[in-house]
Amino acid sequence: MSREYCKIFAAEARAASGFGEVPEIIPLYLIYRPANNIPYATLEEDLGKPLESYCSREWSCTGVPTASSSSEALQKCQTFQHWLYQWTNGSFLVTDLAGVDWKMTDVQIATKLRGYQGLKESCFPALLDQFVSSHQCNTYCAMLGLKPLKAPETAHPQAKAKGSKSPSAGRKGPQLSPQPQKKGLPSPQGTRKSAPSSKTSQASEAATIQSSGQPPIQDGGSKAQGMR
C-alpha cells in the first residue's frame, strides 16, 4: 500500500517543473519454500549499503544514522508524508522511511481509523497529530502546492463548532414554517359563509316580485309544467 501511494506521489512530483528525483519504496516479495520449516518468507532487494534514516517515529533512536536536515532526500521524504496526509484526508501516514539514496525500505504506517483500507486495527494514531504539529513545509511542499497543516488544537474546535449545530437550528429563525402559512390563508368555509346563499337570494327575489305584482317567471314555468 505504501509503495502504491509512493507511485502516485512520484507521478505528481515529476509533473512539477524542477522537482528532480523522487523517493521510491522498493517492493517486498512473499516467497513460498515448501521444504523449509517456515514455508513463507519475505524477500527484498539488497541495497548494498547501510540504511540511512530520513523520517522516523523516534528521532533519538540509535543504530541507524540520520540524514542531515539539508539533505534533498530527507526533505522530499517529508514532502511525501505531507502529500500523503492531505491525499488521505489525515487518515494515513508512512513513517520510518530509511534507505540508500532514493530507495526506501522497511517503512511503517500510521492510521487514524480502525479498518482503514482493510487493516484490522489502527496503527499509532497519535503519530498523525504529532506529524501535523511538528512538520515544517519546505521548498518541495511549495512546488506541489501543498497547504500548511493546522495543529490539532486549532482544527478540532472548529470541527466541534460545526458539528454542534442542530439541523433544525435554521428552521427556528425568522423564516416561517409551512404550518403557520396554511393557518393564515382564508379558509374555504369562510368564503362560503360570507357569500350569499342561493336560498336567501331566491327569497329576496320573491319578495321583490310580490311587491311589484308581477308573477315570477321561474315559478310560473314550474306551475305550467305541473298543470301539464
Side-chain angles (χ1 to χ4, degrees):
M1 186 186 301
S2 301
R3 175 174 166 81
E4 294 302 318
Y5 277 132
C6 193
K7 287 181 180 180
I8 301 173
F9 168 75
E12 293 194 2
R14 291 190 181 99
S17 177
F19 194 89
E21 295 288 334
V22 183
E24 175 193 3
I25 298 177
I26 63 176
L28 185 66
Y29 301 98
L30 178 66
I31 62 174
Y32 176 62
R33 304 172 297 175
N36 198 292
N37 294 332
I38 304 176
Y40 292 97
T42 56
L43 182 67
E44 65 180 359
E45 177 186 355
D46 183 10
L47 299 181
K49 296 180 181 180
L51 301 181
E52 189 175 12
S53 177
Y54 297 104
C55 299
S56 175
R57 289 173 293 175
E58 299 178 1
W59 292 101
S60 60
C61 62
T62 57
V64 179
T66 303
S68 172
S69 58
S70 60
S71 168
E72 181 182 353
L74 183 144
Q75 292 184 8
K76 289 183 177 179
C77 285
Q78 294 177 349
T79 301
F80 168 59
Q81 287 183 308
H82 186 173
W83 173 89
L84 182 58
Y85 182 89
Q86 289 192 352
W87 178 274
T88 59
N89 295 322
S91 299
F92 189 86
L93 186 68
V94 174
T95 183
D96 286 2
L97 288 163
V100 176
D101 297 331
W102 298 104
K103 293 185 176 182
M104 308 297 157
T105 182
D106 195 24
V107 300
Q108 303 296 321
I109 61 174
T111 59
K112 192 74 171 181
L113 303 175
R114 182 177 181 179
Y116 179 80
Q117 295 293 336
L119 298 174
K120 295 182 179 180
E121 59 183 8
S122 58
C123 307
F124 312 107
L127 288 179
L128 294 163
D129 293 338
Q130 181 181 354
F131 170 74
V132 172
S133 59
S134 61
H135 174 72
Q136 294 182 356
C137 292
N138 52 49
T139 305
Y140 303 104
C141 295
M143 285 185 180
L144 297 182
L146 300 179
K147 299 179 181 179
L149 300 176
K150 296 181 180 180
E153 57 270 12
T154 59
H156 289 170
Q158 295 180 1
K160 290 182 179 179
K162 292 181 179 179
S164 60
K165 293 183 180 180
S166 174
S168 60
R171 300 179 184 176
K172 296 180 180 180
Q175 298 178 354
L176 298 178
S177 174
Q179 294 182 355
Q181 291 180 1
K182 291 181 179 180
K183 292 181 180 180
L185 292 174
S187 174
Q189 297 180 357
T191 56
R192 291 176 183 176
K193 292 180 180 180
S194 60
S197 62
S198 59
K199 294 181 180 181
T200 55
S201 61
Q202 291 177 1
S204 60
E205 289 177 359
T208 306
I209 293 170
Q210 289 178 4
S211 60
S212 61
Q214 297 179 358
I217 298 174
Q218 293 182 356
D219 292 343
S222 61
K223 288 181 181 179
Q225 292 178 0
M227 291 174 64
R228 290 178 185 175

